[in-house]
Amino acid sequence: MRYTSPTPEGCLLESNLTQAPTRKAYLAVTSTRSLRVAIVGAGPAGIYAADILSKTDLDVSIDLFERLPAPFGLVRYGVAPDHPRIKAIINALHKVLSKGDVRLLANVNYGVDLKLEDLRQYYDAVIFSTGAIKDAALPIPGIDLDGSYGAADFVSWFDGHPDVPRTWPLEAKEVAVLGAGNVALDVARILAKHPKDLLVTEIPANVQAGLEASPVTDVHVFARRGPAQVKFSPLELRELGHVPDVDIVVYPEDYDFDEGSMAAIEATNQTKQVVKTLTDWTLVEPSQQTASRRIHLHFLHSPVEVLGEDGKVVGLRTERTALQGDGTVKGTGEHHDWPVQAVYRAVGYFGSPLPEIPFDDLKGVISNREGRVVDLDGEHLPGVYTTGWIKRGPVGLIGHTKSDASETVRHLVEDVTGASADSDEPGDLTGGRTAPHGDPQQIVDFLAERGVDVVTWDEFSVLDAHEIGLGEAAGRERIKVVPRDEMIDVAKGRG
């Protein structure tokens, strides 16, 4: 068996398992039929799991299911359009699916078009990699007022997600963004950036038109802790300072560093770079800030209430916080009211439960132990696995996703072969064939009987080429086809 593991740079390297003392090599044995594995969710987590599994010595047939007509998950629908460097990840994922040893079955909605009992008829094992697409809750008064939004929903809109409305209510001159991570920066930057500067990206036409009509002048980003505790990446933060005709405004009174802060700065170069960039902005003279739009960065302000009038957002109330010596904060009782007409909460993503699959409602993940899905008694559901954000929660980078997939696949291989990771005894590569219907065509027939308009990889490639062609005609990277029906029609060559 070959095992794929992440490098510090996030690249995939292959190494023979006989070189790893805690893993074992398996004898190549020809089975009566291929092991059938379904992976539900065609974002990075699912595609990495498929790639790693395809590189084992198992005789395996892999089908990758996706709810949307297009694969790639949050890389396609969760990364700001003006970040092509991050979107380049799609190129690597594209190569995996274009090899032909993983079959894509897109536009198939788990829980509606088929459920676990259906999958177990056609697959010996199922891996769920459905990610986390909802906004985490922020339980403060007024959070449900008209004009209060989740960042995940806004990101889906400006990324052209086919399941969100085509319009967005951009009516506020002053906006608050709650959060101290890269999603908060994305939301603030897209709101403040002049739409003409997005024309070179893949931004959909309806999003461009919506942003053109926005009257926004000031976007306020609020972080509960200090400059040394924010989760901005250095590059994302520096990019914020290069947005044309947008000034970055910071407030020296928001800068405080306790012992925990100094330890964090010394511990990681990333924190050191972030603090340096933020500190450099305190040295900018107000007289030099003449841009027509501004992004304000506020630290040590915890949101306590969204203020409303006649059911609409009219302001945000924050409480000044104080560092406690270890990087944590507590409230001081000092409150500030900020006149804003819209509030975006960017406090994290949260997973959604799936029919027939045990779910941890507190953590927002599928109940699992190292990728093996477990029931209420902690017992592994045979043949059912999970990976990615729906396995560990919405934290970490792409490298962590690869590690997740490696761990899950390793356990799957151990289970189907009867092998143990700490044993040198060869496993049975012909084991684990439990599905009564093992012919790959049978699941296709099943979906066809249910009237599911499945989009294959070849058909998605037609849509992909169409989007690139639209972009080239407009002098842009690509222009996304947005409505779901139109996506399917283009992929199928209809109309």
PDB file of all heavy atoms in Angstrom, residues 417-443:
ATOM      1  N   THR A 417      -9.457  -4.683   5.492  1.00  0.00           N
ATOM      2  CA  THR A 417      -8.479  -5.764   5.303  1.00  0.00           C
ATOM      3  C   THR A 417      -8.318  -6.620   6.547  1.00  0.00           C
ATOM      4  O   THR A 417      -7.718  -7.695   6.489  1.00  0.00           O
ATOM      5  CB  THR A 417      -7.101  -5.190   4.937  1.00  0.00           C
ATOM      6  OG1 THR A 417      -6.629  -4.370   6.008  1.00  0.00           O
ATOM      7  CG2 THR A 417      -7.174  -4.385   3.650  1.00  0.00           C
ATOM      8  N   GLY A 418      -8.840  -6.116   7.687  1.00  0.00           N
ATOM      9  CA  GLY A 418      -8.643  -6.842   8.937  1.00  0.00           C
ATOM     10  C   GLY A 418      -7.256  -6.683   9.492  1.00  0.00           C
ATOM     11  O   GLY A 418      -6.857  -7.401  10.419  1.00  0.00           O
ATOM     12  N   ALA A 419      -6.490  -5.728   8.950  1.00  0.00           N
ATOM     13  CA  ALA A 419      -5.117  -5.522   9.397  1.00  0.00           C
ATOM     14  C   ALA A 419      -5.079  -4.554  10.563  1.00  0.00           C
ATOM     15  O   ALA A 419      -6.023  -3.816  10.821  1.00  0.00           O
ATOM     16  CB  ALA A 419      -4.272  -4.981   8.251  1.00  0.00           C
ATOM     17  N   SER A 420      -3.963  -4.530  11.258  1.00  0.00           N
ATOM     18  CA  SER A 420      -3.743  -3.612  12.366  1.00  0.00           C
ATOM     19  C   SER A 420      -2.529  -2.748  12.051  1.00  0.00           C
ATOM     20  O   SER A 420      -1.544  -3.216  11.496  1.00  0.00           O
ATOM     21  CB  SER A 420      -3.508  -4.390  13.656  1.00  0.00           C
ATOM     22  OG  SER A 420      -3.123  -3.518  14.701  1.00  0.00           O
ATOM     23  N   ALA A 421      -2.629  -1.471  12.412  1.00  0.00           N
ATOM     24  CA  ALA A 421      -1.544  -0.540  12.094  1.00  0.00           C
ATOM     25  C   ALA A 421      -0.246  -0.904  12.805  1.00  0.00           C
ATOM     26  O   ALA A 421       0.840  -0.552  12.344  1.00  0.00           O
ATOM     27  CB  ALA A 421      -1.955   0.883  12.457  1.00  0.00           C
ATOM     28  N   ASP A 422      -0.340  -1.594  13.949  1.00  0.00           N
ATOM     29  CA  ASP A 422       0.871  -1.907  14.699  1.00  0.00           C
ATOM     30  C   ASP A 422       1.303  -3.368  14.514  1.00  0.00           C
ATOM     31  O   ASP A 422       2.057  -3.915  15.317  1.00  0.00           O
ATOM     32  CB  ASP A 422       0.669  -1.613  16.188  1.00  0.00           C
ATOM     33  CG  ASP A 422      -0.527  -2.354  16.769  1.00  0.00           C
ATOM     34  OD1 ASP A 422      -1.158  -3.125  16.027  1.00  0.00           O
ATOM     35  OD2 ASP A 422      -0.818  -2.134  17.957  1.00  0.00           O
ATOM     36  N   SER A 423       0.791  -3.998  13.445  1.00  0.00           N
ATOM     37  CA  SER A 423       1.153  -5.389  13.188  1.00  0.00           C
ATOM     38  C   SER A 423       1.841  -5.508  11.840  1.00  0.00           C
ATOM     39  O   SER A 423       1.564  -4.745  10.915  1.00  0.00           O
ATOM     40  CB  SER A 423      -0.102  -6.272  13.206  1.00  0.00           C
ATOM     41  OG  SER A 423       0.208  -7.574  12.771  1.00  0.00           O
ATOM     42  N   ASP A 424       2.742  -6.475  11.746  1.00  0.00           N
ATOM     43  CA  ASP A 424       3.420  -6.731  10.478  1.00  0.00           C
ATOM     44  C   ASP A 424       2.733  -7.825   9.667  1.00  0.00           C
ATOM     45  O   ASP A 424       3.196  -8.179   8.580  1.00  0.00           O
ATOM     46  CB  ASP A 424       4.881  -7.135  10.734  1.00  0.00           C
ATOM     47  CG  ASP A 424       5.708  -5.968  11.245  1.00  0.00           C
ATOM     48  OD1 ASP A 424       5.385  -4.823  10.861  1.00  0.00           O
ATOM     49  OD2 ASP A 424       6.646  -6.199  12.021  1.00  0.00           O
ATOM     50  N   GLU A 425       1.635  -8.353  10.205  1.00  0.00           N
ATOM     51  CA  GLU A 425       0.925  -9.397   9.487  1.00  0.00           C
ATOM     52  C   GLU A 425       0.167  -8.793   8.312  1.00  0.00           C
ATOM     53  O   GLU A 425      -0.491  -7.761   8.468  1.00  0.00           O
ATOM     54  CB  GLU A 425      -0.057 -10.115  10.414  1.00  0.00           C
ATOM     55  CG  GLU A 425       0.614 -10.940  11.494  1.00  0.00           C
ATOM     56  CD  GLU A 425       1.497 -12.029  10.912  1.00  0.00           C
ATOM     57  OE1 GLU A 425       1.047 -12.696   9.943  1.00  0.00           O
ATOM     58  OE2 GLU A 425       2.621 -12.202  11.401  1.00  0.00           O
ATOM     59  N   PRO A 426       0.229  -9.404   7.131  1.00  0.00           N
ATOM     60  CA  PRO A 426      -0.470  -8.843   5.974  1.00  0.00           C
ATOM     61  C   PRO A 426      -1.979  -8.927   6.145  1.00  0.00           C
ATOM     62  O   PRO A 426      -2.514  -9.869   6.704  1.00  0.00           O
ATOM     63  CB  PRO A 426      -0.002  -9.730   4.816  1.00  0.00           C
ATOM     64  CG  PRO A 426       0.381 -11.020   5.453  1.00  0.00           C
ATOM     65  CD  PRO A 426       0.959 -10.646   6.796  1.00  0.00           C
ATOM     66  N   GLY A 427      -2.653  -7.907   5.652  1.00  0.00           N
ATOM     67  CA  GLY A 427      -4.106  -7.915   5.687  1.00  0.00           C
ATOM     68  C   GLY A 427      -4.678  -8.587   4.448  1.00  0.00           C
ATOM     69  O   GLY A 427      -3.969  -8.885   3.486  1.00  0.00           O
ATOM     70  N   ASP A 428      -5.988  -8.785   4.469  1.00  0.00           N
ATOM     71  CA  ASP A 428      -6.676  -9.421   3.351  1.00  0.00           C
ATOM     72  C   ASP A 428      -7.273  -8.338   2.461  1.00  0.00           C
ATOM     73  O   ASP A 428      -8.314  -7.760   2.770  1.00  0.00           O
ATOM     74  CB  ASP A 428      -7.768 -10.348   3.884  1.00  0.00           C
ATOM     75  CG  ASP A 428      -8.564 -11.001   2.760  1.00  0.00           C
ATOM     76  OD1 ASP A 428      -8.123 -10.919   1.592  1.00  0.00           O
ATOM     77  OD2 ASP A 428      -9.622 -11.582   3.056  1.00  0.00           O
ATOM     78  N   LEU A 429      -6.606  -8.071   1.345  1.00  0.00           N
ATOM     79  CA  LEU A 429      -7.064  -7.013   0.453  1.00  0.00           C
ATOM     80  C   LEU A 429      -8.347  -7.384  -0.273  1.00  0.00           C
ATOM     81  O   LEU A 429      -8.942  -6.537  -0.941  1.00  0.00           O
ATOM     82  CB  LEU A 429      -5.979  -6.663  -0.566  1.00  0.00           C
ATOM     83  CG  LEU A 429      -4.745  -5.952  -0.001  1.00  0.00           C
ATOM     84  CD1 LEU A 429      -3.816  -5.542  -1.121  1.00  0.00           C
ATOM     85  CD2 LEU A 429      -5.139  -4.757   0.827  1.00  0.00           C
ATOM     86  N   THR A 430      -8.787  -8.612  -0.165  1.00  0.00           N
ATOM     87  CA  THR A 430     -10.052  -9.003  -0.795  1.00  0.00           C
ATOM     88  C   THR A 430     -11.215  -8.889   0.180  1.00  0.00           C
ATOM     89  O   THR A 430     -12.350  -9.194  -0.179  1.00  0.00           O
ATOM     90  CB  THR A 430      -9.981 -10.445  -1.308  1.00  0.00           C
ATOM     91  OG1 THR A 430      -9.841 -11.336  -0.182  1.00  0.00           O
ATOM     92  CG2 THR A 430      -8.809 -10.631  -2.246  1.00  0.00           C
ATOM     93  N   GLY A 431     -10.963  -8.450   1.418  1.00  0.00           N
ATOM     94  CA  GLY A 431     -12.006  -8.371   2.422  1.00  0.00           C
ATOM     95  C   GLY A 431     -12.849  -7.115   2.304  1.00  0.00           C
ATOM     96  O   GLY A 431     -12.579  -6.230   1.500  1.00  0.00           O
ATOM     97  N   GLY A 432     -13.882  -7.048   3.120  1.00  0.00           N
ATOM     98  CA  GLY A 432     -14.696  -5.848   3.226  1.00  0.00           C
ATOM     99  C   GLY A 432     -15.748  -5.678   2.169  1.00  0.00           C
ATOM    100  O   GLY A 432     -16.427  -4.652   2.131  1.00  0.00           O
ATOM    101  N   ARG A 433     -15.923  -6.653   1.289  1.00  0.00           N
ATOM    102  CA  ARG A 433     -16.940  -6.521   0.235  1.00  0.00           C
ATOM    103  C   ARG A 433     -18.291  -6.908   0.821  1.00  0.00           C
ATOM    104  O   ARG A 433     -18.634  -8.084   0.920  1.00  0.00           O
ATOM    105  CB  ARG A 433     -16.609  -7.412  -0.961  1.00  0.00           C
ATOM    106  CG  ARG A 433     -15.670  -6.808  -1.992  1.00  0.00           C
ATOM    107  CD  ARG A 433     -14.279  -6.592  -1.460  1.00  0.00           C
ATOM    108  NE  ARG A 433     -13.332  -6.225  -2.532  1.00  0.00           N
ATOM    109  CZ  ARG A 433     -12.088  -5.863  -2.315  1.00  0.00           C
ATOM    110  NH1 ARG A 433     -11.613  -5.817  -1.080  1.00  0.00           N
ATOM    111  NH2 ARG A 433     -11.301  -5.531  -3.322  1.00  0.00           N
ATOM    112  N   THR A 434     -19.060  -5.921   1.231  1.00  0.00           N
ATOM    113  CA  THR A 434     -20.322  -6.182   1.928  1.00  0.00           C
ATOM    114  C   THR A 434     -21.549  -5.727   1.149  1.00  0.00           C
ATOM    115  O   THR A 434     -22.657  -6.159   1.452  1.00  0.00           O
ATOM    116  CB  THR A 434     -20.329  -5.475   3.292  1.00  0.00           C
ATOM    117  OG1 THR A 434     -20.143  -4.069   3.086  1.00  0.00           O
ATOM    118  CG2 THR A 434     -19.212  -6.011   4.192  1.00  0.00           C
ATOM    119  N   ALA A 435     -21.381  -4.828   0.181  1.00  0.00           N
ATOM    120  CA  ALA A 435     -22.531  -4.307  -0.559  1.00  0.00           C
ATOM    121  C   ALA A 435     -23.114  -5.379  -1.469  1.00  0.00           C
ATOM    122  O   ALA A 435     -22.377  -6.045  -2.204  1.00  0.00           O
ATOM    123  CB  ALA A 435     -22.119  -3.090  -1.378  1.00  0.00           C
ATOM    124  N   PRO A 436     -24.433  -5.554  -1.459  1.00  0.00           N
ATOM    125  CA  PRO A 436     -25.034  -6.594  -2.316  1.00  0.00           C
ATOM    126  C   PRO A 436     -24.993  -6.262  -3.796  1.00  0.00           C
ATOM    127  O   PRO A 436     -25.071  -7.162  -4.634  1.00  0.00           O
ATOM    128  CB  PRO A 436     -26.481  -6.667  -1.809  1.00  0.00           C
ATOM    129  CG  PRO A 436     -26.732  -5.356  -1.137  1.00  0.00           C
ATOM    130  CD  PRO A 436     -25.422  -4.927  -0.569  1.00  0.00           C
ATOM    131  N   HIS A 437     -24.869  -4.986  -4.134  1.00  0.00           N
ATOM    132  CA  HIS A 437     -24.858  -4.583  -5.545  1.00  0.00           C
ATOM    133  C   HIS A 437     -23.548  -3.853  -5.834  1.00  0.00           C
ATOM    134  O   HIS A 437     -23.412  -2.667  -5.558  1.00  0.00           O
ATOM    135  CB  HIS A 437     -26.051  -3.686  -5.858  1.00  0.00           C
ATOM    136  CG  HIS A 437     -27.370  -4.275  -5.473  1.00  0.00           C
ATOM    137  ND1 HIS A 437     -27.866  -5.419  -6.042  1.00  0.00           N
ATOM    138  CD2 HIS A 437     -28.289  -3.877  -4.550  1.00  0.00           C
ATOM    139  CE1 HIS A 437     -29.036  -5.708  -5.495  1.00  0.00           C
ATOM    140  NE2 HIS A 437     -29.316  -4.794  -4.582  1.00  0.00           N
ATOM    141  N   GLY A 438     -22.588  -4.555  -6.389  1.00  0.00           N
ATOM    142  CA  GLY A 438     -21.249  -4.005  -6.566  1.00  0.00           C
ATOM    143  C   GLY A 438     -20.912  -3.515  -7.946  1.00  0.00           C
ATOM    144  O   GLY A 438     -19.783  -3.083  -8.194  1.00  0.00           O
ATOM    145  N   ASP A 439     -21.865  -3.556  -8.868  1.00  0.00           N
ATOM    146  CA  ASP A 439     -21.616  -3.092 -10.228  1.00  0.00           C
ATOM    147  C   ASP A 439     -21.725  -1.568 -10.253  1.00  0.00           C
ATOM    148  O   ASP A 439     -22.756  -1.010  -9.880  1.00  0.00           O
ATOM    149  CB  ASP A 439     -22.645  -3.707 -11.175  1.00  0.00           C
ATOM    150  CG  ASP A 439     -22.384  -3.343 -12.637  1.00  0.00           C
ATOM    151  OD1 ASP A 439     -21.650  -2.372 -12.889  1.00  0.00           O
ATOM    152  OD2 ASP A 439     -22.939  -4.022 -13.519  1.00  0.00           O
ATOM    153  N   PRO A 440     -20.672  -0.839 -10.704  1.00  0.00           N
ATOM    154  CA  PRO A 440     -20.717   0.631 -10.722  1.00  0.00           C
ATOM    155  C   PRO A 440     -21.885   1.217 -11.501  1.00  0.00           C
ATOM    156  O   PRO A 440     -22.325   2.334 -11.206  1.00  0.00           O
ATOM    157  CB  PRO A 440     -19.381   1.004 -11.366  1.00  0.00           C
ATOM    158  CG  PRO A 440     -18.478  -0.138 -11.055  1.00  0.00           C
ATOM    159  CD  PRO A 440     -19.352  -1.353 -11.113  1.00  0.00           C
ATOM    160  N   GLN A 441     -22.407   0.496 -12.460  1.00  0.00           N
ATOM    161  CA  GLN A 441     -23.517   1.019 -13.256  1.00  0.00           C
ATOM    162  C   GLN A 441     -24.821   1.047 -12.453  1.00  0.00           C
ATOM    163  O   GLN A 441     -25.730   1.844 -12.745  1.00  0.00           O
ATOM    164  CB  GLN A 441     -23.695   0.169 -14.523  1.00  0.00           C
ATOM    165  CG  GLN A 441     -24.816   0.636 -15.449  1.00  0.00           C
ATOM    166  CD  GLN A 441     -24.615   2.053 -15.974  1.00  0.00           C
ATOM    167  OE1 GLN A 441     -23.477   2.484 -16.200  1.00  0.00           O
ATOM    168  NE2 GLN A 441     -25.709   2.787 -16.155  1.00  0.00           N
ATOM    169  N   GLN A 442     -24.909   0.207 -11.426  1.00  0.00           N
ATOM    170  CA  GLN A 442     -26.170   0.073 -10.713  1.00  0.00           C
ATOM    171  C   GLN A 442     -26.576   1.342  -9.979  1.00  0.00           C
ATOM    172  O   GLN A 442     -27.751   1.692  -9.926  1.00  0.00           O
ATOM    173  CB  GLN A 442     -26.102  -1.123  -9.759  1.00  0.00           C
ATOM    174  CG  GLN A 442     -26.065  -2.463 -10.481  1.00  0.00           C
ATOM    175  CD  GLN A 442     -25.885  -3.626  -9.535  1.00  0.00           C
ATOM    176  OE1 GLN A 442     -24.862  -3.733  -8.852  1.00  0.00           O
ATOM    177  NE2 GLN A 442     -26.866  -4.514  -9.489  1.00  0.00           N
ATOM    178  N   ILE A 443     -25.616   2.062  -9.410  1.00  0.00           N
ATOM    179  CA  ILE A 443     -25.951   3.314  -8.726  1.00  0.00           C
ATOM    180  C   ILE A 443     -26.395   4.361  -9.738  1.00  0.00           C
ATOM    181  O   ILE A 443     -27.284   5.178  -9.459  1.00  0.00           O
ATOM    182  CB  ILE A 443     -24.766   3.828  -7.877  1.00  0.00           C
ATOM    183  CG1 ILE A 443     -25.171   5.075  -7.080  1.00  0.00           C
ATOM    184  CG2 ILE A 443     -23.568   4.145  -8.753  1.00  0.00           C
ATOM    185  CD1 ILE A 443     -26.259   4.846  -6.059  1.00  0.00           C
TER     186      ILE A 443
END
